[in-house]
Amino acid sequence: MRVLLVGGSGFIGRYLALGLLDKSYEVSILDPYPPPRRLVDKKITYFKGDASLLPHLLTCWKSLGGFDAIVNLGAVLSSKAEEDPYGSIAPNFQTTINVLELSRLTDVKRVVFTSSIASFGGGLKRVDENTPQRPDTIYGISKVFGELLGLYYSKKYGVDFRAARLPAVIGYGRGPGGASAYASMMVEKPALGESYTVPVRRETRLQILYVKDAVGALTRLLEVEDAPSRIYNIPGISPTAFEIAEEVRKYVAEPRIVFSPDPETVRIVESWPLEMDGNRTFSELGWRMKYSLENAVGDFVKTAQTMKDLATTG
C-alpha cells in the first residue's frame, strides 16, 4: 500500500512512518519541514508543501503518481492554537477539507484522520463513542469539524473515512506546543540529563498513550477492510503528574523535576476526560494497548538516550 502522511515530519508521523516501513508500505510525507535524517536514510519520499493549500496536495499527487491512502496528522496543537485561534484555521480546518476533497477527486482508497480526546470538551470524567462532543478549545473544535466532515464525505461521496480519537500521546521527540506536552517533557528532559519545570499540579491527571501504541492503532485503521463505526476512541491510562515523575525516578538517577503550575495549562488539561471507553475499538479493530506506564517510561528513556537523531530534521 502507498501511504501519504500529511504532516508526517511531526512527532507521531515519524514513528508511524518507521512502523509502516517495517511492514513494507511505500511511505511518502507531505510537510513544510523535511523529515528526520533517519527517515531520509530509509528512502522515505518527501514532498515539501502545505496541505492547507489544495494545489500543493494536487501537485503532490501528480508528482508521486498517486497513493492508496492518506493519514492526516497535520495540526497546530492545543495551547499554541489557543494563543492564535485564527492562525490555526488553515492547518487545522482547511487541511482536513483539502485531504477529503483530494480523495473525492482521485482514487485514494482510504483516509485516516487523527482526532483527539479534546473533542469532548470539559466537565466529563468518562466518555464513550456516543458521548456528546462540546469542545471548549479551537483545537477540540477542529477535531469535531474533521470528524463530521469526514462522515459527510463518506456518505455523500463514498470516501472510506476513519478517525482515531487519541489521548495525549507521549514519546521521545514530542516536543513543546500542546498543553499535554509536559507528560513527555518530564520524561525526555531528565533522560537527557536536563531539568524540567512541570506546568501542572502534582495531582493533575492526564490520559496518555505511548506513541508506539498510537502507531499500532493508526496502522490498524489503515489495514482493516471494514471499520463500520468509522470513528474510534483509542483509550490510554490516566496517571497523575507525580506518578509520572515517580516512574521516571526508576530509570533516571536524581531527575531534576520541579512543579510550577501554570493556570491556563492546568485549566486546559484538567478540562479533558480521564477515561475513554474503547469497546468498539477492541471489537471492530482488534486493537489493544501494549504499554503500561512503567513499560512506556522505560522504553521512552531508552529511546531518548539512544536515538537522539529521531528528532533531528534535515
Side-chain angles (χ1 to χ4, degrees), residues 52 56 71 121 128 141 229 248 253 263 284 292 311:
S52 70
H56 284 206
V71 182
D128 59 30
I141 291 168
S229 296
V248 172
E284 295 181 15
S292 64

Side-chain angles (χ1 to χ4, degrees), residues 57-311:
L57 266 173
L58 290 168
T59 302
C60 178
W61 167 270
K62 294 176 182 177
S63 175
L64 297 176
F67 24 83
D68 302 306
I70 302 174
V71 182
N72 183 8
L73 300 150
V76 175
L77 298 180
S78 54
S79 60
K80 288 293 184 182
E82 285 302 289
E83 292 173 8
D84 182 14
Y86 183 78
S88 74
I89 297 298
N92 290 22
F93 292 81
Q94 191 62 50
T95 291
T96 301
I97 295 171
N98 291 347
V99 166
L100 290 166
E101 186 64 7
L102 178 74
S103 300
R104 180 184 74 85
L105 295 171
T106 65
D107 57 355
V108 170
K109 296 179 176 64
R110 189 159 296 162
V111 173
V112 175
F113 176 67
T114 49
S115 188
S116 170
I117 192 173
S119 67
F120 289 104
L124 301 170
K125 296 300 181 184
R126 183 181 185 278
V127 296
D128 59 30
E129 287 90 346
N130 297 316
T131 301
Q133 293 164 292
R134 298 290 187 270
D136 52 7
T137 62
I138 192 67
Y139 176 74
I141 291 168
S142 74
K143 296 305 182 183
V144 176
F145 170 84
E147 290 181 15
L148 293 176
L149 191 66
L151 292 177
Y152 176 80
Y153 267 74
S154 174
K155 182 177 180 180
K156 188 171 181 65
Y157 301 116
V159 173
D160 187 357
F161 173 83
R162 292 109 183 265
R165 290 178 184 144
L166 298 171
V169 179
I170 69 167
Y172 178 65
R174 163 68 174 79
S180 63
Y182 77 88
S184 279
M185 303 309 292
M186 65 188 298
V187 181
E188 180 172 324
K189 291 293 188 180
L192 298 177
E194 303 174 29
S195 61
Y196 183 67
T197 300
V198 184
V200 298
R201 305 180 303 146
R202 292 170 181 264
E203 60 269 31
T204 296
R205 289 188 179 273
L206 174 69
Q207 185 160 177
I208 60 174
L209 185 73
Y210 191 45
V211 65
K212 292 183 179 179
D213 275 326
V215 165
L218 293 172
T219 302
R220 286 299 296 160
L221 276 175
L222 272 175
E223 292 179 338
V224 294
E225 283 302 314
D226 189 29
S229 296
R230 300 214 172 271
I231 300 172
Y232 295 90
N233 291 341
I234 311 298
I237 53 177
S238 300
T240 65
F242 180 75
E243 287 169 341
I244 297 174
E246 288 297 288
E247 203 61 48
V248 172
R249 290 187 173 90
K250 295 179 181 179
Y251 300 96
V252 179
E254 300 182 3
R256 292 170 289 168
I257 299 175
V258 178
F259 286 86
S260 180
D262 169 69
E264 180 62 10
T265 302
V266 171
R267 181 192 71 79
I268 293 173
V269 172
E270 295 190 359
S271 74
W272 294 335
L274 294 176
E275 182 181 353
M276 281 198 296
D277 179 273
N279 285 334
R280 292 182 187 171
T281 304
F282 305 146
S283 62
E284 295 181 15
L285 304 183
W287 175 86
R288 291 291 189 282
M289 185 180 70
K290 296 180 179 179
Y291 286 85
S292 64
L293 179 62
E294 180 178 7
N295 293 339
V297 171
D299 190 75
F300 189 155
V301 171
K302 180 181 178 181
T303 301
Q305 294 174 341
T306 60
M307 297 177 64
K308 296 180 182 181
D309 65 313
L310 188 63

